[in-house]
Amino acid sequence: MNEVTLELDGPEATRAVGLALGRTLPAGACVALEGDLGAGKTTLVRGLAEGLGIDPDEVSSPTYVLMQAHEGGRLPLYHHDAWMDGRGKALLADGGAELLRAADGVAVVEWASRVAAFLPTPRLTCALEHVSLESRRIRLAVEAAQGGPEGLVSGLQGAVEAACSALRP
Ligand code: ADP
Ligand code: MG
């Protein structure tokens, strides 16, 4: 499945989507997270960490830290924050964009639209938006370029399917 929009009826649903992604995402996956303050980005990353077998309480909002690595799970989680100053952008332009895809683990990028030019393909975009105080909506989309590595694309599609199944009653 390439793209789906899901209604998230409370924080537990956001966590469930993250959990399903963490259980299924393949090594080399880049997850681009979009959404305003309070949209649920960190809630999703905590679920994703848990799905990988990492203590979700280790995950914090990484603002002002470029990247936090969490090891000890099925795969390492590299949690990036793209709400960065000029110094961070210079690092990305200077070869650091390679860090946004880690061959051995899962890279998650909060505020991904701020570094759109540096994001790798294929990738999984997760765009969260407010519906009301008590609910959110998420669009999951596999963004692939022509001729990209097929195995990674189908791995990302499988994770989208797992996220859909996780919300089914
Ligand atoms: P962000 O990292 O995008 O700023 P957070 O993950 O910190 O957002 O979440 C902000 C608040 O929204 C938290 O109180 C969280 O429990 C809540 N929240 C997360 N997902 C949902 C949802 N689907 N419905 C309602 N509230 C949610
Ligand atoms: Mg946050």
Side-chain angles (χ1 to χ4, degrees):
M1 191 183 289
N2 257 325
E3 184 169 339
V4 70
T5 300
L6 301 168
E7 306 296 324
L8 303 174
D9 205 4
E12 198 47 44
T14 308
R15 175 178 162 272
V17 167
L19 199 65
L21 295 178
R23 286 182 177 146
T24 51
L25 282 169
C30 171
V31 178
L33 271 185
E34 295 171 7
D36 295 337
L37 195 66
K41 300 182 297 298
T42 302
T43 305
L44 186 100
V45 180
R46 290 210 171 102
L48 198 154
E50 201 179 339
L52 283 167
I54 293 160
D55 179 1
D57 294 334
E58 274 187 28
V59 174
S60 58
S61 275
T63 307
Y64 306 118
V65 179
L66 292 181
M67 193 271 283
Q68 285 175 346
H70 304 278
E71 307 205 332
R74 177 175 70 84
L75 299 167
L77 171 64
Y78 302 101
H79 188 193
H80 297 264
D81 182 14
W83 188 272
M84 47 180 60
D85 54 12
R87 189 177 53 103
K89 285 245 171 93
L91 178 78
L92 284 180
D94 198 25
E98 281 175 28
L99 297 171
L100 299 180
R101 171 181 331 281
D104 68 326
V106 173
V108 174
V109 186
E110 291 204 40
W111 301 107
S113 54
R114 291 180 63 104
V115 292
F118 298 107
L119 296 172
T121 48
R123 67 175 176 271
L124 175 62
T125 293
C126 302
L128 282 149
E129 58 176 12
H130 284 81
V131 175
S132 70
L133 259 157
E134 293 84 29
S135 69
R136 309 286 188 268
R137 186 176 294 133
I138 190 168
R139 188 177 68 93
L140 301 172
V142 177
E143 319 221 28
Q146 286 281 326
E150 268 310 308
L152 194 47
V153 172
S154 57
L156 298 178
Q157 290 166 335
V160 171
E161 268 152 41
C164 292
S165 309
L167 289 190
R168 268 185 220 123

